[in-house]
Amino acid sequence: MDPETLEKDALAAVAAASSLDDIDRVRVEFLGRKSALKLALREVRDRETGMTLNALRERLETAIDARENDLRRVELDRQVSEERVDVTMPGTPFPRGHLHLITQIRREVEDIFLGLGYTVVDGREVETTHYNFDGLNFPQGHPTRSPLHTLFLDQQTVLRTETSPSQIRTMEAQEPPVYIVSLGRCYRRDTPDATHTPTFHQVEGLAVDEGISLADLEGTLDYLLKTLFGEERRTQFTTNYFPFTEPSIEARVSCHICDGSGCPVCRHSGWIEVGGAGMVDPNLFEFVGYDPERYTGFAFGWGLERIAVLRHGIPDLRELWRNDPRLLRQF
Ligand code: DAH
């Protein structure tokens, strides 16, 4: 083997290699275990030949490595220019969240009343027994004052059982006219079933002004019910009792499932009871220092979960808080 010829042949082959596969083959041919150079190195007997051949091996390795790097760069350039991202390919879908149905209804009701010129006020979830009971005219010994019904934090502090305390706090803080709604969580020591959960949401409404009448209340609730349940609905008001309203009424809407002909949702009565309301009891005005001779007002308090299950025909209110996306995704 003539080292000079070998080097010339090898360098020519390196220069001619035009792909990574080519250069691999060149490496095997000239530096592989069975290459002429490797065989010659194994046979070496004298120092001088050994040095010459090793130097040759190093030069060939350097030349092959350099060519390989060049070819790699060429290959990369080719990939970058040929294998561009195809922006017309469909993307990988990724799940997007949305507001919980109760939050949607909460905002819907807020928007309805903002549109009527009302203000949205925040109440407190932790209340004193004064605001939760006394200020709302609950008599001593009323069952909801019992720890069997209400969650007490201490003797004077409860988790509010309704949003109505926000009526008292609002009236204490401002003079009439008052037009507010207040929405949020309430708590009762209820055992969960199809129509109860210990935590739930209410919307409270309060309007106090000169000359407010029951007709104003009924007109407002009629508008609210038609906006929530559909323009074609009819409304009806029956009597009820709450300590803080006199008279007290219950708002009913014609069943949107059967349109009044009778079905399981309306228990075959054609009507659905949505929630309580009434004319503010003058005692409340005295508690907060409003003149009951001058002002009258109306109030209402409805459950948002109840609105949700009625409107969407959800058979069990607990489903709303199981957070199963198969249910929640539908709204
Ligand atoms: N707070 C009552 C309840 O939780 C609902 C209610 C009824 C609120 C009549 C009112 C009202 O403001 O006027 O059952």
Side-chain angles (χ1 to χ4, degrees):
M1 184 208 65
D2 167 26
E4 268 170 43
T5 318
L6 182 95
E7 183 163 11
K8 228 192 283 155
D9 291 351
L11 292 180
V14 167
S18 61
S19 71
L20 288 169
D21 280 347
D22 286 352
I23 199 73
D24 267 351
R25 275 193 293 274
V26 172
R27 193 189 292 279
V28 171
E29 183 182 344
F30 291 95
L31 293 174
R33 265 190 308 125
K34 292 178 187 156
S35 60
L37 183 56
K38 280 290 160 76
L39 293 176
L41 272 163
R42 223 170 287 150
E43 307 282 279
V44 167
R45 294 288 172 265
D46 64 295
R47 192 175 126 80
E48 199 174 328
T49 317
M51 279 173 63
T52 309
L53 293 184
N54 267 321
L56 172 59
R57 183 182 50 81
E58 274 175 30
R59 283 197 302 281
L60 293 186
E61 273 172 4
T62 309
I64 290 172
D65 287 349
R67 183 70 185 149
E68 184 177 340
N69 275 338
D70 288 350
L71 290 169
R72 235 182 251 296
R73 207 166 312 125
V74 170
E75 171 67 9
L76 193 66
D77 285 348
R78 189 196 60 78
Q79 279 181 357
V80 169
S81 65
E82 282 177 18
E83 300 173 17
R84 290 234 186 96
V85 175
D86 180 356
V87 293
T88 65
M89 293 258 290
T92 319
F94 65 95
R96 209 152 59 104
H98 66 75
L99 295 178
H100 191 279
L101 177 59
I102 293 301
T103 310
Q104 292 180 39
I105 291 180
R106 177 180 180 157
R107 295 196 180 175
E108 220 175 299
V109 172
E110 286 174 353
D111 282 349
I112 291 168
F113 282 96
L114 286 169
L116 291 173
Y118 284 57
T119 305
V120 178
V121 304
D122 274 332
R124 305 184 181 191
E125 292 182 28
V126 174
E127 265 300 0
T128 62
T129 51
H130 171 75
Y131 286 100
N132 202 77
F133 300 124
D134 308 334
L136 288 166
N137 210 28
F138 278 89
Q140 289 303 323
H142 191 282
T144 78
R145 288 181 179 263
S146 154
L148 290 173
H149 290 103
T150 297
L151 292 149
F152 279 77
L153 300 182
D154 62 35
Q155 288 266 312
Q156 285 87 40
T157 322
V158 299
L159 294 181
R160 68 174 175 191
T161 55
E162 52 195 356
T163 41
S164 304
S166 60
Q167 292 187 29
I168 311 302
R169 289 193 178 274
T170 304
M171 289 194 283
E172 279 182 351
Q174 70 174 89
E175 289 298 313
V178 172
Y179 291 90
I180 60 106
V181 285
S182 186
L183 298 89
R185 279 202 184 89
C186 306
Y187 303 85
R188 285 181 200 173
R189 213 168 152 179
D190 278 332
T191 305
D193 64 24
T195 54
H196 297 87
T197 49
T199 304
F200 57 99
H201 295 73
Q202 283 190 339
V203 46
E204 191 77 21
L206 174 68
V208 182
D209 209 335
E210 290 181 29
I212 295 237
S213 72
L214 193 59
D216 296 317
L217 172 58
E218 295 189 355
T220 306
L221 296 183
D222 181 79
Y223 174 69
L224 175 60
L225 287 169
K226 285 177 170 155
T227 313
L228 289 173
F229 289 92
E231 203 47 50
E232 335 68 73
R233 299 281 81 75
R234 281 154 292 126
T235 55
Q236 208 182 59
F237 302 95
T238 57
T239 57
N240 203 337
Y241 170 77
F242 302 101
F244 35 89
T245 43
E246 181 57 36
S248 302
I249 62 171
E250 180 78 21
R252 304 169 94 199
V253 64
S254 60
C255 183
H256 59 296
I257 304 288
C258 64
D259 198 28
S261 62
C263 72
V265 170
C266 60
R267 297 213 199 90
H268 303 283
S269 72
W271 293 93
I272 292 171
E273 297 191 337
V274 182
M279 299 305 290
V280 180
D281 192 303
N283 283 346
L284 270 64
F285 290 156
E286 274 168 24
F287 294 152
V288 301
Y290 283 6
D291 179 358
E293 298 298 323
R294 183 169 169 201
Y295 296 110
T296 50
F298 66 68
F300 61 92
W302 294 357
L304 299 187
E305 280 82 356
R306 186 160 168 73
I307 293 172
V309 297
L310 291 174
R311 189 167 80 177
H312 300 287
I314 300 168
D316 187 327
L317 182 152
R318 288 169 294 188
E319 290 297 338
L320 288 172
W321 301 113
R322 274 201 244 281
N323 285 339
D324 185 336
R326 289 171 301 180
L327 178 97
L328 297 178
R329 257 203 302 265
Q330 300 176 54
F331 309 108

